[in-house]
């Protein structure tokens, strides 16, 4: 009998631990499946761990252009109705998003859906939107291999699952280099953000929504815990159907850095 009670007490302590850790450490996990845009064939997986305002972001990619800086950002208004939107020719709504009809989704053409830059995922230094085009501080490998811990604002920390990770830079004409895509008249195609940059340098290569991955949830940590990712995905699809128009209006009103 004594042994039975000892075990029960120990079990109770173990079961209570996750709740205590959640309250003290405020550690939450998120993930993002980042899929190709502009038919780049590039994709990535992001894992995010939030500890208070300290956010650790790990991104492992595949198929990105080797040897060119890939600007990577959180896009979206924290708490807003942001979506990746139609990313590839053939996606529903792509022709509407591709405002100039050139068959490519430029950075600016993607903004009505995914919103402005909220965080710049630089390898060092500043992570604000001011560093959106800090080309000397972004990953340059085909696999990205990114991991960094940095501080985020309360607004970002509280609304991570309303944001997206957008990765830029792609060899869209398959020439083996970035920066030689031409317009129909043979002139060099410029970035929608900065005419001094080539279109391919900032073009959208991939996008993925950040969704809650939760903590080490057991059945006893459900109350007040984080929603399963599937719920967020449901919200994403609902948003695609219902909120595309609103997103356009909101993004036009914002008009901040849009890389
Ligand atoms: Cu961006």
């Amino acid at each position: 009998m004594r042994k039975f009670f000892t075990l029960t007490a120990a079990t109770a302590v173990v079961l209570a631990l996750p709740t205590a850790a959640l309250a003290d450490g405020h550690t939450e996990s998120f993930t993002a499946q980042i899929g190709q845009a502009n038919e780049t064939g590039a994709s990535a997986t992001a894992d995010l761990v939030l500890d208070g305002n300290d956010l650790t972001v790990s991104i492992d990619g595949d198929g990105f252009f080797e040897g060119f800086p890939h600007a990577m950002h959180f896009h979206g208004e924290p708490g807003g109705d942001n979506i990746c939107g139609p990313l590839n020719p053939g996606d529903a709504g792509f022709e509407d998003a591709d405002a100039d009809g050139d068959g490519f989704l430029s950075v600016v053409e993607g903004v009505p859906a995914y919103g402005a830059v909220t965080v710049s995922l630089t390898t060092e230094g500043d992570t604000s939107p001011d560093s959106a085009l800090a080309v000397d501080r972004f990953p340059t490998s085909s696999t990205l291999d990114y991991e960094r811990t940095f501080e985020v604002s309360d607004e970002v920390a509280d609304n991570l699952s309303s944001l997206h990770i957008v990765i830029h830079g792609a060899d869209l004409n398959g020439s083996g280099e970035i920066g030689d895509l031409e317009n129909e008249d043979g002139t060099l195609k410029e970035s929608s953000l900065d005419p001094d940059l080539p279109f391919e340098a900032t073009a959208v290569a991939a996008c993925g929504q950040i969704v809650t991955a939760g903590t080490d949830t057991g059945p006893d940590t459900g109350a007040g815990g984080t929603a399963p990712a599937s719920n967020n995905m449901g919200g994403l699809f609902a948003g695609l159907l219902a909120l595309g128009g609103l997103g356009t209006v909101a993004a036009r009103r914002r008009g901040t850095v849009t890389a």
Side-chain angles (χ1 to χ4, degrees):
M1 250 348 232
R2 176 180 295 274
K3 189 172 184 182
F4 172 79
F5 282 117
T6 305
L7 283 174
T8 303
T11 304
V13 168
V14 169
L15 289 176
L17 275 175
T19 306
L22 198 64
D24 288 342
H26 188 62
T27 300
E28 299 172 77
S29 297
F30 300 83
T31 185
Q33 295 301 321
I34 302 168
Q36 70 165 349
N38 286 314
E39 296 183 331
T40 57
S43 61
T45 300
D47 292 303
L48 301 84
V49 178
L50 183 67
D51 184 356
N53 286 66
D54 291 332
L55 180 66
T56 299
V57 179
S58 308
I59 302 177
D60 291 307
D62 186 40
F64 291 90
F65 190 85
E66 178 75 28
F68 192 89
H70 293 286
M72 309 195 302
H73 313 116
F74 290 172
H75 279 254
E77 182 181 7
D81 298 312
N82 320 286
I83 57 172
C84 278
L87 298 170
N88 299 282
D91 290 355
F94 184 87
E95 287 180 13
D96 291 333
D98 178 21
D100 64 4
D102 66 353
F104 298 108
L105 185 74
S106 72
V107 176
V108 169
E109 288 169 342
V111 165
Y114 55 57
V117 171
T118 310
V119 170
S120 297
L121 297 171
T122 53
T123 53
E124 59 181 6
D126 175 57
T127 57
S128 79
D130 292 343
S131 293
L133 292 176
V135 290
D136 56 339
R137 291 187 287 121
F138 285 113
T140 59
S141 72
S142 64
T143 52
L144 304 172
D145 302 322
Y146 181 80
E147 180 163 345
R148 187 175 177 195
T149 301
F150 53 91
E151 197 173 324
V152 295
S153 66
D154 290 345
E155 194 181 34
V156 168
D158 292 344
N159 293 286
L160 272 174
S161 58
S162 69
L163 304 179
H164 298 71
I165 297 176
V166 180
I167 303 174
H168 303 268
D171 173 18
L172 296 175
N173 60 358
S175 68
E177 47 186 291
I178 284 184
D180 62 352
L181 183 66
E182 295 178 345
N183 295 302
E184 281 182 8
D185 64 3
T187 56
L188 211 58
K189 195 170 176 58
E190 299 168 347
S191 167
S192 57
L193 287 177
D194 180 349
D196 290 335
L197 291 173
F199 185 89
E200 291 179 315
T202 60
V204 185
C207 180
Q209 180 175 5
I210 299 172
V211 297
T212 303
T215 55
D216 292 340
T217 47
D220 55 325
T221 59
T226 45
S230 57
N231 285 1
N232 284 352
M233 291 306 291
L236 172 61
F237 291 126
L240 272 168
L241 293 172
L243 298 169
L246 291 175
T248 305
V249 173
R252 285 197 182 133
R253 233 187 291 121
R254 284 197 296 274
T256 49
V257 179
T258 56

